[in-house]
Amino acid sequence: MTAPPHLGPAATSLATAPERTGAGLHARRLRRRKMVRGVLLAAFAAFFGIPLLALVEFSTRERGAGGGRTLEAWKAIPQYPGLPEAIVASLQLAALTSVGALFLLVPTMVWVRLRLPRLSRLVEFLCLLPLTIPAIVLVVGWAPLYLWINYFTPRTYQSTPLVLTFAYVVLVLPYAYRTLDSGLSAIDVRTLSEAARSLGASWATVLLRVIAPNLGPAILNAALLSVALVLGEFTVASLLNYVNVQVAMNAIGQAEARVAVAVAAGALMSVFLLLFLLSFVGRGPRRVRSTR
Amino acid sequence: MTSSRATGSRLSWIGAVPFLGYVALFLLLPTSLVVVQSFADAQNRPTLANVRFLAEPYVVSAFGNSIALSAVSAVIGAVLGAVLAWVVATGHPDGTLRRIATAVCGVLAQFGGVTLAFAFIATVGTQGLLTLLLQDLGLDLAGPWLYRLPGLVLVYSYFQIPLMVLVFLPALDGVRPQWREAVETLGGSTWQYLRHVAVPLLTPAFLGALLLLFANAFAAYATAAALISQGGVIVPLQIRTALTSEVLLGRENVGKALALGMVLVVAVAMYLYARVQARGARWLR
Amino acid sequence: MTTSTTPASAGTRAGAEVRLESLRRSYGAVPALDGLDLVLHPGELVALLGPSGCGKTTALRLVAGLEDADSGRVVVGGRDVTRLPASRRDMGMVFQAYSLFPHMTSLENVAFGLRLRGQAARERHRRAGEVLELVGLSAQADRYPHQMSGGQQQRVALARALAIQPTVLLLDEPLSALDAKVRAQLRDEIRRVQLEVGITTLFVTHDQEEALAVADRVGVMNSGRLEQVGSPTDVYHRPATPFVAEFVGLSNKLPATVADGSAEVLGVRLPLVDPRAEPGAALAVVRPESVGLTPAEGDGPLVGTVVATSFLGAVSRVRVDLGPVGTVLAQLPTAEAGRFAPGARARIGLRPEPVVVVRPHE
């Protein structure tokens, strides 16, 4: 048996050639890969970093062509007509939405796991549905609904953006559902609740004193995610003619670009902060499990 | 015993009523309103006028623009996102790069709307940071392109690439190093490994992600609305016009027909996505 | 070559000699392989045996070309391949698990190496079919990996490695992901195929039973070094180092006194494997099958209480508590072991087989 066909004379001569100096093939391949990765990483970091940098840069520019730095635009935020109200409205909406979504989802999901497992596919489908229906389509459907809501709202509360909560709960449904679902999967809901029930606890006690504490990180996670989503929401509010921070920001953009950009940078920073907090919350329980 | 359990299960349905009621009222009702009223006039009489409106040239062109924009931004996002996902996947599995990259991508994939529009105006707008910097070098970036379709493609990449990373990373993680080593010991080159193993294996996941990115871009509204304050280049902006401008007689439900059109396009994309995804999941477990 | 591709004719070829010459490899400051010398004779199956992290897998990967050696050479059939990439070393490799391409059928997997060599579809499928037949999987030719059991997948992997008619076959713990019964079956299957093809084979495993069962010679490795290379019988009965004695096979460690070229263990004089052992106190490594049991009454240094019996099929193992000396494990035919239920008294007997001694502090 001679050398197989693919190992022709070339290969043989390569093999018998004097040893080349330097590290081996794999070391060279690794070095090359490391370099390519470094270059790519830098390019992506620039693409994602520069616009954020520009946001901050733009908001601290001095008026005119001086090129100096000032916090003028940032300081103007609390005084700008309508802006503080819009910020407060967005914060209230964020709180209401996360609480609303949790109250709607947690009892239902626990109940379905315990007593109605047949319904779990339906609940999942319904919760994930808003992912497949564009928000702008939902707005079109919500428009007539909100005419009715407006009609029944007492005159003093008319045009309060807080009614957006109803729509926002739907928008955050998929995200809240996913976090809660993974949280619930990690604990044995059935055993926990049966144990508590056998000790004489009521369903409310089970939910509040037994399940909720065990679900803590997941609930916090879902709440933070909802807050982040609501703070950045523009589509629904603007098309239903309510003013939240994003709508106000967009309107200011035409007149006072630097203030608007300052608000945008501020909102972005708070959302970033929230989501980074979230990434630590998410790791908490996992670490506990791995040490067990 | 059995009878009490039966009663229990009948009663236990009550526990799901609040959720089902809420979802019916605020999710299913609005969605069905869109579908039903697309075929109704202002007096709720059945008509095909709204749907026929979809055939008007400027609506057709808006759909064409939307689809083109979504397709181009999906392809760019998918290709660049796959590259970034590769950079992340070839790093240490528990390393800092991976942790930071997934966290940042999680944030950026959700990032959009007015803030994103502002960020790009502040970067490549007339007074943007990069525009001014390049001006000093004699390059002119400024121009209306940012407020047209090419601008949207660029801006959409900002959330499409991170979304691709999130979706594609698990697929890349499913590629086992043994496959590459097996190809090597069987006499194959890197190129042959890519051509015969890596690419065919990752194609379903890639196509799936591409469809997801397409749907994502197609549904996006806020960024475009903030960049383009008037007109209806793409379908979501047409819907804005239909919702906010003076309602013409006989066109009350035109917005719903546009929305229905969007739902259909997204539904097709999502259906294909589910089909493709199921195939790839079997390979890359 | 293209005409002589039937398994039978493949069996007529003599395998190549493989030499590993002072191979070294370290990861950072940690040496994984600390100067390995090993010669595989043509057509021979050598098993590298050792605990995890002993460097056996590193050795295999250096031979395959999947990693670079820091120094040393790999010579196959007189040709130095150290600097050749894996793709040009002409070696068939079977990995631990999950190495089949999931998007290809068994047949396509097996034919893949031939496809890389540009062989026409018909020719390569014919050849792949023959190799599949060799491993007994003709019926599964059109199955995808996820439709097959772990054992079947590993057979396909073996067929894939053999289809390219490599000069060397490398097996990297090919059975470790399988359950016990399949493992024993496939182990014998691998040996049968290897003998039929006559290919020089390096088999890496942490399972001593596996190594002893299939190999012509076994190399026992420990922390990057080869402790002993020899026939399975040699390694088992005449371990060269204390590590080999302890790692290969179950063993009792009994207090002993070395003097005059023999060891006195529990009052019995036993010959030494290595007569040059230093005189003085030591521990003798005694195999369970060298320990006999007889029913006993009363007391004595060799009498103890049975604490446990484990049934292993034809043989059983009985653990006897000897008090201050500790417990001793004896292996005897199951028919005899019935007399030694837990709680029974038994007298230990030591067969006069050569023993290895270890210094007590080791």
Side-chain angles (χ1 to χ4, degrees):
Chain A
M1 179 65 51
T2 53
H6 70 287
L7 268 179
T12 318
S13 70
L14 208 163
T16 49
E19 285 201 8
R20 271 179 256 156
T21 50
L25 298 158
H26 295 91
R28 237 178 300 150
R29 193 195 280 169
L30 271 179
R31 262 205 309 276
R32 201 168 47 212
R33 175 191 275 195
K34 206 172 168 183
M35 217 177 68
V36 171
R37 290 181 67 225
V39 170
L40 287 171
L41 213 55
F44 280 110
F47 177 70
F48 289 113
I50 289 175
L52 299 182
L53 209 71
L55 214 52
V56 177
E57 191 273 338
F58 196 90
S59 71
T60 57
R61 267 188 213 171
E62 218 160 43
R63 206 177 283 274
R69 294 279 145 220
T70 169
L71 283 176
E72 206 178 276
W74 286 80
K75 286 184 189 134
I77 294 175
Q79 275 93 45
Y80 205 92
L83 191 51
E85 293 84 343
I87 293 174
V88 170
S90 270
L91 291 175
Q92 286 173 328
L93 270 170
L96 282 174
T97 303
S98 19
V99 171
L102 287 173
F103 267 91
L104 194 62
L105 276 179
V106 176
T108 309
M109 289 173 73
V110 172
W111 189 253
V112 164
R113 263 167 197 262
L114 287 178
R115 307 293 295 272
L116 293 168
R118 271 174 302 164
L119 230 60
S120 62
R121 296 309 295 267
L122 176 70
V123 170
E124 181 180 17
F125 172 77
L126 290 174
C127 283
L128 298 184
L129 198 57
L131 280 185
T132 43
I133 305 177
I136 183 136
V137 170
L138 285 171
V139 171
V140 174
W142 280 327
L145 229 61
Y146 269 84
L147 283 181
W148 281 92
I149 290 175
N150 242 342
Y151 184 79
F152 287 115
T153 315
R155 191 157 271 278
T156 36
Y157 296 111
Q158 218 126 55
S159 88
T160 169
L162 297 187
V163 289
L164 284 173
T165 306
F166 295 117
Y168 285 0
V169 166
V170 172
L171 291 185
V172 303
L173 219 48
Y175 305 95
Y177 173 83
R178 275 187 185 158
T179 22
L180 291 175
D181 187 55
S182 65
L184 280 170
S185 305
I187 60 172
D188 189 350
V189 180
R190 182 172 286 271
T191 312
L192 273 182
S193 64
E194 273 170 5
R197 291 284 289 166
S198 74
L199 294 172
S202 70
W203 280 114
T205 316
V206 171
L207 210 58
L208 281 175
R209 309 286 297 271
V210 181
I211 309 270
N214 275 299
L215 215 53
I219 288 180
L220 191 57
N221 229 321
L224 289 175
L225 214 55
S226 308
V227 169
L229 241 78
V230 171
L231 290 184
E233 209 290 321
F234 172 76
T235 307
V236 179
S238 86
L239 289 174
L240 294 180
N241 287 316
Y242 293 102
V243 179
N244 69 3
V245 67
Q246 298 284 327
V247 174
M249 203 165 85
N250 190 43
I252 299 169
Q254 324 286 338
E256 191 55 74
R258 287 180 318 132
V259 179
V261 169
V263 180
L268 188 65
M269 284 176 196
S270 40
V271 169
F272 260 91
L273 200 71
L274 259 166
L275 291 169
F276 264 106
L277 269 173
L278 193 143
S279 74
F280 286 109
V281 173
R283 265 207 301 285
R286 229 172 291 152
R287 201 179 292 144
V288 172
R289 264 204 302 283
S290 67
T291 53
R292 219 177 269 160
Chain B
M1 182 76 197
T2 33
S3 73
S4 85
R5 199 176 269 169
T7 335
S9 88
R10 216 172 298 143
L11 280 177
S12 60
W13 282 86
I14 293 171
V17 164
F19 171 80
L20 293 177
Y22 190 93
V23 169
L25 190 57
F26 286 100
L27 178 59
L28 301 181
L29 177 65
T31 315
S32 26
L33 274 181
V34 169
V35 176
V36 173
Q37 296 201 337
S38 298
F39 301 98
D41 65 11
Q43 281 73 47
N44 274 328
R45 284 173 312 218
T47 173
L48 284 177
N50 305 313
V51 184
R52 226 173 280 136
F53 167 77
L54 292 182
E56 288 204 15
Y58 71 98
V59 178
V60 171
S61 99
F63 267 96
N65 283 341
S66 260
I67 288 172
L69 165 66
S70 309
V72 171
S73 95
V75 169
I76 291 176
V79 170
L80 294 180
V83 170
L84 183 53
W86 172 80
V87 171
V88 174
T90 48
H92 195 279
D94 299 318
T96 334
L97 168 67
R98 195 186 176 99
R99 275 225 315 277
I100 292 180
T102 44
V104 168
C105 285
V107 176
L108 295 184
Q110 291 301 327
F111 182 46
V114 187
T115 315
L116 181 58
F118 280 5
F120 272 88
I121 293 172
T123 311
V124 288
T126 330
Q127 291 297 313
L129 176 63
L130 215 56
T131 315
L132 296 181
L133 284 176
L134 290 180
Q135 229 162 43
D136 297 340
L137 300 171
L139 285 164
D140 192 15
L141 265 187
W145 63 272
L146 180 59
Y147 308 96
R148 297 189 180 152
L149 288 178
L152 289 185
V153 169
L154 173 73
V155 179
Y156 279 19
S157 308
Y158 202 83
F159 54 77
Q160 295 277 65
I161 294 173
L163 179 63
M164 180 66 180
V165 172
L166 294 181
V167 176
F168 201 56
L169 199 52
L172 277 184
D173 286 338
V175 176
R176 298 177 186 275
Q178 295 98 297
W179 293 336
R180 167 150 203 176
E181 293 178 351
V183 171
E184 274 182 61
T185 55
L186 290 171
S189 60
T190 302
W191 163 245
Q192 282 172 316
Y193 161 70
L194 288 175
R195 188 177 143 213
H196 295 299
V197 178
V199 169
L201 271 176
L202 288 169
T203 299
F206 185 84
L207 286 181
L210 198 67
L211 288 160
L212 199 69
L213 262 58
F214 175 87
N216 190 44
F218 194 78
Y221 164 78
T223 316
L227 275 175
I228 305 171
S229 51
Q230 269 166 26
V233 205
I234 54 175
V235 185
L237 297 184
Q238 290 261 343
I239 292 180
R240 171 176 69 181
T241 314
L243 280 183
T244 53
S245 59
E246 296 272 306
V247 178
L248 293 167
L249 200 64
R251 295 214 159 164
E252 295 84 357
N253 285 333
V254 151
K256 279 148 195 149
L258 287 167
L260 181 68
M262 283 190 75
V263 170
L264 290 179
V265 173
V266 172
V268 168
M270 294 310 285
Y271 170 75
L272 292 174
Y273 165 74
R275 289 285 304 269
V276 172
Q277 200 71 350
R279 179 127 183 254
R282 207 175 54 201
W283 292 343
L284 301 168
R285 237 185 307 238
Chain C
M1 157 135 193
T2 43
T3 51
S4 64
T5 47
T6 59
S9 66
T12 61
R13 79 195 249 209
E17 183 199 63
V18 179
R19 309 181 70 92
L20 283 62
E21 296 175 0
S22 18
L23 280 181
R24 264 172 226 282
R25 165 77 171 148
S26 52
Y27 301 109
V30 188
L33 209 56
D34 203 4
L36 177 70
D37 287 284
L38 180 66
V39 179
L40 285 78
H41 305 304
E44 187 185 35
L45 193 159
V46 173
L48 276 183
L49 173 67
S52 68
C54 71
K56 56 189 191 299
T57 295
T58 304
L60 183 100
R61 293 173 63 83
L62 291 185
V63 175
L66 294 173
E67 277 177 44
D68 302 323
D70 296 338
S71 64
R73 301 200 311 159
V74 178
V75 182
V76 178
R79 202 159 59 95
D80 182 352
V81 300
T82 320
R83 297 271 149 190
L84 277 185
S87 56
R88 298 170 73 177
R89 286 199 186 187
D90 193 27
M91 295 184 184
M93 179 146 169
V94 178
F95 297 81
Q96 216 168 43
Y98 311 114
S99 73
L100 293 182
F101 307 124
H103 60 304
M104 298 182 194
T105 62
S106 310
L107 192 77
E108 288 166 344
N109 261 288
V110 176
F112 185 73
L114 304 170
R115 186 173 164 197
L116 292 177
R117 283 158 176 71
Q119 225 176 69
R122 256 187 57 198
E123 177 59 23
R124 67 175 190 250
H125 285 145
R126 194 183 58 76
R127 164 75 186 148
E130 285 168 3
V131 188
L132 269 181
E133 198 182 329
L134 179 70
V135 299
L137 275 186
S138 298
Q140 270 74 31
D142 294 326
R143 296 261 179 98
Y144 284 92
H146 67 94
Q147 297 169 319
M148 290 187 290
S149 69
Q152 289 175 329
Q153 289 186 31
Q154 287 304 75
R155 282 172 198 234
V156 176
L158 178 64
R160 181 178 67 183
L162 289 173
I164 58 170
Q165 298 198 307
T167 39
V168 183
L169 180 61
L170 303 171
L171 307 167
D172 182 12
E173 305 242 15
L175 307 171
S176 64
L178 306 175
D179 46 36
K181 199 174 168 191
V182 184
R183 200 183 305 169
Q185 221 172 24
L186 190 53
R187 180 186 78 195
D188 299 340
E189 180 82 4
I190 287 176
R191 178 56 161 167
R192 177 186 66 76
V193 171
Q194 188 264 337
L195 286 174
E196 201 169 324
V197 180
I199 187 169
T200 313
T201 301
L202 188 59
F203 185 122
V204 159
T205 178
H206 66 273
D207 183 332
Q208 40 132 337
E209 199 186 316
E210 217 166 273
L212 298 179
V214 297
D216 292 308
R217 285 189 303 146
V218 177
V220 183
M221 287 189 70
N222 181 32
S223 41
R225 289 168 178 281
L226 205 49
E227 297 261 333
Q228 181 180 5
V229 190
S231 70
T233 349
D234 265 359
V235 169
Y236 192 80
H237 291 295
R238 279 176 293 282
T241 68
F243 175 83
V244 176
E246 280 175 60
F247 188 78
V248 180
L250 284 171
S251 52
N252 296 298
K253 270 195 269 183
L254 300 172
T257 317
V258 177
D260 310 327
S262 66
E264 193 192 306
V265 185
L266 301 174
V268 182
R269 280 213 156 294
L270 298 176
L272 286 168
V273 168
D274 180 7
R276 290 162 300 173
E278 254 178 71
L283 287 175
V285 178
V286 182
R287 302 272 178 223
E289 55 275 29
S290 304
V291 180
L293 287 184
T294 45
E297 297 293 328
D299 275 324
L302 293 175
V303 178
T305 312
V306 175
V307 284
T309 19
S310 48
F311 169 67
L312 300 172
V315 295
S316 289
R317 290 205 184 113
V318 179
R319 187 171 284 281
V320 179
D321 187 359
L322 283 184
V325 180
T327 65
V328 174
L329 198 59
Q331 178 173 311
L332 44 158
T334 296
E336 276 176 48
R339 291 183 291 166
F340 304 100
R345 301 285 285 171
R347 177 183 299 277
I348 302 287
L350 298 178
R351 293 193 189 100
E353 280 161 13
V355 292
V356 172
V357 290
V358 207
R359 292 291 125 196
H361 57 81
E362 272 176 299

